Amino acid sequence: MNGILYPALVMGGLGVVFGSLLAFASKKFFVAVDPRQSEIRAILPGANCGGCGFPGCDGFAEACVAGTAKPTACAAGGPDVAAKIAEILGVTAESSEPMTAFVRCQGSKDKMVKDCVYMGFDDCRSASVVPGRGPGGCAYGCMGFGTCVKVCSFGAIRIINGLAVVDSEKCVGCGACAAECPRGVITLIPKKSKIQVACANPLKGPLVKSVCSAGCIGCTLCVKACPKEAIEMKGSLAVIDPAKCVNCGLCAAKCPVKAIRDARPPRPAPKPQPAADTAAEAAK
């Protein structure tokens, strides 16, 4: 009987001692949480995408209260959430430019030269460090393994024909995909920018053409065609300045290899004139 009683009493006594110590510590070292932090956390989308630069939504809410994060830093929440956060903090929310992810590559399977048989992991980061660096011949293009798809919390990226494609309607501009891309093929651009160079290869034209049929060849025709001087050559690669570009599309029309992507909505076809009006116009 004593062989069971004594150990039970000892364990019970230890439980009481440690429980008392924990209760004392919880009161002694209690840190009061600013109620504004809970209010901010409640209105955040909860994606925990990390696009704000803090560890999840909890970290962002804490940083807002501490004054180390701007209310507009939550790309997933957008201007509505930013306005609510500013109201809670009693500050004025600065206006921010809506951003979206853009893939600077058009090297799909039918356009990029395949110069090796890749048998490694289907992961962009793993493929970027092995000899050959993936199945495609372009060392600056999208590898198409979908690492960006895995980190997108909003289902805004898909792999189509070996190329990452962004759905700008779903993309919130959090930047998680851009941070994950080992080649820097994905970047953030203003949503209003509809004309972009879909290539990241800075090499000269002949070298680009040897690995991809849709890469920028550095012909400078786009530079000459731009009426706003919004395009400059960085090496042999054309780069568009979104602040100067007015989305006229002249550069895209001039590009001989269609390396400049025109994402403007199609213009409606002109309505046909009535027959009477046409005849009258012809008589004139």
Side-chain angles (χ1 to χ4, degrees):
M1 184 67 179
N2 291 338
I4 298 176
L5 181 60
Y6 290 145
L9 290 175
V10 171
M11 293 303 295
L14 288 174
V16 171
V17 172
F18 286 122
S20 300
L21 289 175
L22 288 174
F24 172 78
S26 65
K27 293 183 178 181
K28 180 69 175 178
F29 301 105
F30 174 75
V31 177
V33 177
D34 193 317
R36 296 177 300 172
Q37 182 175 329
S38 301
E39 293 179 39
I40 293 173
R41 181 62 184 87
I43 63 176
L44 294 176
N48 291 310
C49 59
C52 58
F54 296 93
C57 294
D58 289 327
F60 174 63
E62 183 179 354
C64 284
V65 174
T68 56
K70 294 182 178 180
T72 55
C74 180
D80 293 338
V81 168
K84 292 178 181 178
I85 294 175
E87 183 179 354
I88 293 172
L89 297 176
V91 298
T92 302
E94 300 176 359
S95 59
S96 60
E97 181 77 47
M99 307 293 281
T100 186
F102 177 73
V103 181
R104 299 189 300 156
C105 180
Q106 296 187 119
S108 53
K109 289 181 178 180
D110 56 324
K111 294 178 181 177
M112 187 182 293
V113 175
K114 185 176 181 180
D115 61 354
C116 69
V117 177
Y118 177 75
M119 301 181 66
F121 293 106
D122 288 345
D123 177 78
C124 298
R125 287 197 172 277
S126 299
S128 67
V129 297
V130 299
R133 298 188 177 185
C138 181
Y140 301 91
C142 173
M143 288 182 278
F145 291 125
T147 303
C148 53
V149 176
K150 299 172 187 175
V151 300
C152 180
S153 302
F154 306 94
I157 309 181
R158 293 183 297 161
I159 301 298
I160 300 177
N161 197 20
L163 180 68
V165 178
V166 177
D167 184 342
S168 59
E169 295 298 322
K170 294 181 179 180
C171 180
V172 299
C174 69
C177 56
E180 193 67 19
C181 181
R183 289 185 173 177
V185 176
I186 304 178
T187 185
L188 292 180
I189 63 171
K191 277 198 172 185
K192 67 179 183 182
S193 298
K194 303 300 181 183
I195 311 294
Q196 286 292 328
V197 179
C199 181
N201 194 332
L203 302 180
K204 293 185 177 181
L207 295 176
V208 175
K209 291 181 70 175
S210 68
V211 294
C212 182
S213 62
C216 175
I217 57 175
C219 65
T220 72
L221 289 177
C222 55
V223 178
K224 299 172 183 176
C226 181
K228 300 296 182 180
E229 299 183 348
I231 310 178
E232 64 175 329
M233 302 301 297
K234 291 189 176 179
S236 296
L237 180 65
V239 178
I240 297 177
D241 183 351
K244 295 180 180 179
C245 180
V246 294
N247 295 322
C248 67
L250 292 176
C251 56
K254 285 289 185 180
C255 182
V257 292
K258 304 303 177 186
I260 301 179
R261 189 176 302 170
D262 187 346
R264 296 176 301 171
R267 295 181 179 180
K271 295 181 180 180
Q273 294 182 346
D277 293 348
T278 304
E281 191 68 27
K284 293 180 181 179

